[in-house]
Amino acid sequence: NAGVTQTPKFQVLKTGQSMTLQCAQDMNHNSMYWYRQDPGMGLRLIYYSASEGTTDKGEVPNGYNVSRLNKREFSLRLESAAPSQTSVYFCASSEAGQGPRPQHFGDGTRLSIL
Amino acid sequence: DAKTTQPNSMESNEEEPVHLPCNHSTISGTDYIHWYRQLPSQGPEYVIHGLTSNVNNRMASLAIAEDRKSSTLILHRATLRDAAVYYCILRDRQAGTALIFGKGTTLSVSS
């Protein structure tokens, strides 16, 4: 049961470098999300995609771009990495629609920016 | 979304029941109460949700106060694997589907 798969699991970047974090789900979910989690904190929403072809900003979108490549895949890009973007990044997916649809999370990408 | 208040940490012994409280005094009539947990070095995992009535599933039970201003997640027999951060989250059924996480309760389980 793959669920939500994130790659890579770990990455170290230098300030100013660019990188794309990949996320894929095999549950045929319409909605996908990117969160970041800083030490001792809860998760904060960066971007989400309610359905294929749509994306919307979350709480902390600055410095990031996203692409909903197809129904399965949702990528997060850092164009010019900054030390403040050092964090653990989680991708999640859920079925479409309003109401209490549980979100399914990947195991995260641990990103350090020097 | 309305805010929730949880204790920073709780401790339990293995095979004992655990009651994790959550206060949400400003909950609205359309807010569902969700619980997620996050094991060390993993992403959050859905546990349970409810609106007004108590709910049970294979992982836990959710007890909701009659006035809905508080709720309690109940783990019937804690195991070492239940050591995690537990998040109580309110979600308006009319809103978008994003989750707003607080700091949660860190549960420690001793053998």
Side-chain angles (χ1 to χ4, degrees):
Chain A
N1 296 336
V4 178
T5 302
Q6 293 185 236
T7 55
K9 295 190 185 306
F10 302 93
Q11 185 70 48
V12 178
L13 293 178
K14 293 181 179 178
T15 298
Q17 287 185 317
S18 61
M19 172 169 189
T20 300
L21 280 61
Q22 306 287 354
C23 174
Q25 52 91 9
D26 63 1
M27 296 172 283
N28 202 35
H29 286 166
N30 284 310
S31 301
M32 297 186 72
Y33 316 83
W34 277 105
Y35 295 87
R36 62 177 286 176
Q37 185 174 32
D38 300 317
M41 304 289 290
L43 281 70
R44 292 183 293 169
L45 183 67
I46 305 171
Y47 271 94
Y48 68 99
S49 172
S51 62
E52 187 178 354
T54 67
T55 60
D56 286 287
K57 295 178 180 179
E59 180 185 355
V60 288
N62 291 343
Y64 305 96
N65 287 302
V66 291
S67 295
R68 184 71 183 269
L69 304 171
N70 48 55
K71 191 171 185 179
R72 290 187 63 249
E73 298 172 288
F74 188 38
S75 64
L76 179 71
R77 183 162 178 84
L78 288 69
E79 291 291 352
S80 179
S84 60
Q85 295 178 303
T86 293
S87 190
V88 182
Y89 291 84
F90 290 100
C91 177
S93 70
S94 69
E95 294 177 329
Q98 296 177 348
R101 303 280 196 295
Q103 292 190 8
H104 301 260
F105 288 80
D107 284 336
T109 293
R110 285 150 182 80
L111 183 62
S112 293
I113 299 162
L114 307 177
Chain B
D1 292 310
K3 287 192 66 175
T4 63
T5 303
Q6 299 177 251
N8 290 331
S9 62
M10 292 185 64
E11 296 180 354
S12 175
N13 294 317
E14 205 173 7
E15 302 203 1
E16 290 185 355
V18 181
H19 291 234
L20 296 163
C22 181
N23 288 320
H24 29 77
S25 58
T26 60
I27 191 170
S28 73
T30 56
D31 282 336
Y32 282 83
I33 302 161
H34 291 250
W35 284 83
Y36 282 73
R37 71 179 186 181
Q38 187 173 21
L39 302 172
S41 300
Q42 293 188 23
E45 173 187 29
Y46 167 79
V47 177
I48 200 167
H49 75 271
L51 183 61
T52 56
S53 303
N54 294 344
V55 184
N56 301 296
N57 66 21
R58 63 175 181 81
M59 291 181 68
S61 295
L62 176 60
I64 301 172
E66 196 167 337
D67 63 5
R68 300 211 323 127
K69 293 185 177 182
S70 65
S71 60
T72 302
L73 180 70
I74 302 167
L75 307 179
H76 296 286
R77 290 182 65 212
T79 69
L80 295 178
R81 193 189 177 279
D82 291 322
V85 179
Y86 287 78
Y87 298 99
C88 171
I89 300 170
L90 301 183
R91 288 176 67 190
D92 188 324
R93 67 183 179 191
Q94 299 299 324
T97 55
L99 296 168
I100 299 176
F101 289 81
K103 294 186 177 181
T105 296
T106 299
L107 175 66
S108 303
V109 180
S110 302
S111 58

